Amino acid sequence: MFRYWPLCALLLLTATGHAAPIYKWTDKQGATHYEDQRPREGEVEVIRPPEPWRGPPQDAAGNAQSDPNQEHRARQCSDFREQLAAAEAADRLYELDAQGARRYLDEEERKLHLQKLQLSIDYWCK
């Protein structure tokens, strides 16, 4: 049972996350094709799969640099927290209709709005 574990370990260590390119081309009839092998003739567009995520960018010393996505998440988190605090403090909530007139939310709509804001906070602030 344990006889092949060194081979399995070696295979796992040598496996790479590199994916082969995809070739996109159009034949004489105008049909578009996607293949993993380059056609022998005709114009070809090479589509390279995205690189796998390997963690946040690092500087020359190997220290993690700030992630712009993390900054965006922090801004969204802060914005939704402020919106929730304002909505909870307000006596009445409204939305604007197509003509720009206020339509006040009833109690059920208000609860739903507060729940949506809380869900947004849960998503962006994790």
Side-chain angles (χ1 to χ4, degrees):
M1 178 158 108
F2 294 107
R3 182 175 169 187
Y4 296 106
W5 75 267
L7 177 62
C8 292
L10 180 64
L11 288 173
L12 286 174
L13 290 174
T14 58
T16 63
H18 179 72
I22 303 294
Y23 300 100
K24 176 182 173 184
W25 58 281
T26 306
D27 64 17
K28 292 178 184 175
Q29 289 77 29
T32 302
H33 300 272
Y34 296 89
E35 297 184 12
D36 60 350
Q37 295 183 3
R38 185 180 195 95
R40 294 180 188 208
E41 54 189 46
E43 233 176 274
V44 176
E45 178 184 348
V46 179
I47 302 172
R48 299 220 177 265
E51 288 292 319
W53 190 75
R54 302 195 189 283
Q58 296 180 347
D59 60 16
N63 300 318
Q65 295 176 342
S66 66
D67 183 4
N69 291 331
Q70 188 175 15
E71 294 168 10
H72 176 71
R73 289 187 76 77
R75 262 194 319 275
Q76 291 290 89
C77 174
S78 175
D79 289 348
F80 280 113
R81 286 183 191 271
E82 289 175 12
Q83 289 178 36
L84 180 61
E88 288 175 334
D91 292 331
R92 298 190 322 175
L93 297 177
Y94 66 88
E95 62 184 14
L96 299 177
D97 64 13
Q99 291 76 31
R102 291 183 181 182
R103 186 187 75 76
Y104 288 92
L105 304 182
D106 63 24
E107 190 57 34
E108 195 62 35
E109 292 171 319
R110 184 178 191 279
K111 286 180 184 178
L112 183 60
H113 180 71
L114 295 176
Q115 287 175 349
K116 287 180 180 179
L117 287 173
Q118 186 60 55
L119 286 173
S120 297
I121 289 170
D122 294 344
Y123 174 78
W124 289 106
C125 300
K126 59 181 170 181

